[in-house]
């Protein structure tokens, strides 16, 4: 055997061993995949494409056909008060679907999912119609005690992966009160009460006159985003948008 062939055989043996001991697996469901599948299996990609492909209301982010939107609002959010001027979302939060599984895993230590989730967030941002206006990205903050327990704020990690030619990131919006975990409460009123007055801005913030995009993983009733947007508005922000990975609770009003 000449040296090239020896090398090829060695590479082949190495790759086979690699496949045997560390087979390429789907980053979400761990099904085995071939290297070219971009870290997700076909089934997970299929679910992601389905749940990120539907039309949605640019005001509240819920599924809505383009024809159901009147003066920028869908039948569901007409008459509701929002402090943010528009929302972009990657998909829908449905129990058991790959997007939901990935968001939960991302929150629970699997930060290596950041690139795949950022791919979805960036495409939602590009399709939003407000990307050019954004001057600052502000991740929805966690209370310091929760951040300490988890070790990171998943929204900040996601924000750092966003692609934008000029916008900067600010972490001067803080959560000064530990709130109950929102999923334990069903009604929109209870959720709004839970987060009322929970946010504040740091001294020396530069929110005045700025067009800001809040970034979060999930929007349910929008109570958290609304409260954050209200706080930013009081700090002088001129426009506030929101970008989320998924909109949940299509049936909670
Ligand atoms: Zn999979
Ligand atoms: Zn709506």
């Amino acid at each position: 055997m000449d040296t090239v062939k020896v090398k090829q055989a060695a590479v082949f043996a190495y790759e086979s061993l690699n496949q045997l001991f560390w087979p390429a697996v789907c980053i979400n469901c761990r099904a085995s995949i071939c290297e070219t599948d971009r870290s997700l299996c076909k089934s997970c990609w299929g679910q992601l494409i389905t749940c990120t492909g539907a039309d949605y209301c640019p005001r509240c982010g819920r599924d809505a056909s383009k024809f159901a939107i009147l003066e920028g609002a869908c039948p569901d959010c007409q008459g509701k008060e929002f402090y943010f001027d528009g929302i972009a979302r990657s998909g829908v939060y449905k129990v058991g679907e790959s997007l939901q599984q990935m968001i939960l895993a991302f929150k629970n230590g699997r930060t290596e999912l950041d690139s795949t989730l950022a791919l979805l967030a960036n495409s939602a941002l590009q399709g939003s119609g407000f990307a050019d206006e954004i001057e600052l990205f502000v991740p929805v903050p966690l209370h310091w005690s929760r951040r300490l327990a988890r070790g990171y704020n998943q929204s900040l990690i996601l924000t750092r992966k966003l692609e934008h030619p000029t916008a900067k990131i600010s972490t001067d919006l803080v959560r000064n009160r530990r709130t109950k975990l929102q999923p334990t409460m069903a009604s929109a009123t209870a959720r709004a009460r839970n987060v009322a007055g929970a946010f504040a801005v740091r001294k020396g913030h530069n929110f005045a006159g700025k067009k800001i995009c809040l970034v979060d993983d999930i929007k349910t009733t929008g109570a958290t985003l609304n409260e954050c947007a209200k706080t930013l508005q009081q700090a002088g922000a001129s426009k506030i948008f929101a970008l989320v990975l998924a909109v949940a609770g299509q049936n909670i009003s």
Side-chain angles (χ1 to χ4, degrees):
M1 265 205 267
D2 58 34
T3 34
V4 175
K5 275 190 180 152
V6 171
K7 236 184 203 167
Q8 278 173 349
V11 168
F12 180 76
Y14 172 77
E15 282 181 354
S16 314
L17 280 174
N18 214 17
Q19 280 287 329
L20 189 64
F21 293 111
W22 297 279
V25 291
C26 170
I27 198 169
N28 181 46
C29 74
R30 316 247 186 218
S32 66
I33 52 173
C34 64
E35 298 283 0
T36 50
D37 282 342
R38 305 186 68 183
S39 71
L40 280 174
C41 71
K42 283 205 174 68
S43 152
C44 288
W45 267 124
Q47 283 180 19
L48 276 188
I49 288 162
T50 313
C51 92
T52 55
D55 287 333
Y56 63 88
C57 169
R59 188 166 179 264
C60 73
R62 290 188 181 199
D63 281 347
S65 127
K66 280 179 199 148
F67 309 106
I69 296 176
L70 283 176
E71 292 171 10
C74 71
D76 194 70
C77 71
Q78 267 160 22
K80 283 187 188 163
E81 194 186 9
F82 291 130
Y83 288 90
F84 45 90
D85 301 276
I87 189 166
R89 67 152 218 220
S90 303
V92 180
Y93 192 83
K94 276 191 196 144
V95 176
E97 297 252 326
S98 61
L99 182 60
Q100 182 250 6
Q101 290 166 348
M102 287 170 72
I103 291 173
L104 280 186
F106 185 51
K107 238 197 244 267
N108 291 307
R110 294 198 54 207
T111 49
E112 73 274 16
L113 291 167
D114 61 349
S115 299
T116 310
L117 290 172
L119 197 76
L120 301 175
N122 277 312
S123 96
L125 182 64
Q126 294 321 313
S128 68
F130 56 71
D132 294 345
E133 291 190 63
I134 302 168
E135 294 171 285
L136 271 183
F137 284 110
V138 174
V140 168
L142 294 178
H143 188 254
W144 66 267
S145 60
R146 189 155 281 149
R147 196 182 53 241
L148 197 69
R150 186 175 294 162
Y152 59 93
N153 175 0
Q154 71 279 8
S155 299
L156 175 59
I157 294 187
L158 185 68
T159 308
R160 289 201 181 117
K161 288 270 182 179
L162 294 176
E163 286 158 15
H164 196 282
T166 50
K168 303 260 184 307
I169 299 173
S170 168
T171 52
D172 284 339
L173 177 71
V174 294
R175 196 184 287 241
N176 56 11
R177 186 162 59 74
R178 194 176 161 125
T179 49
K180 287 181 206 148
L181 284 173
Q182 295 280 48
T184 56
M185 293 168 300
S187 88
T189 324
R191 282 167 177 268
R193 209 181 303 126
N194 183 36
V195 291
F199 299 93
V201 294
R202 284 202 179 100
K203 271 186 194 151
H205 70 81
N206 63 340
F207 296 143
K210 289 280 169 31
K211 292 175 184 140
I212 298 173
C213 182
L214 284 161
V215 182
D216 207 357
D217 49 1
I218 311 160
K219 168 193 176 277
T220 304
T221 61
T224 303
L225 284 174
N226 223 18
E227 194 64 26
C228 287
K230 188 178 169 186
T231 310
L232 291 174
Q233 199 185 67
Q234 286 163 351
S238 68
K239 244 182 177 181
I240 301 145
F241 305 104
L243 171 67
V244 295
L245 286 172
V247 169
Q250 298 274 336
N251 300 319
I252 300 171
S253 53

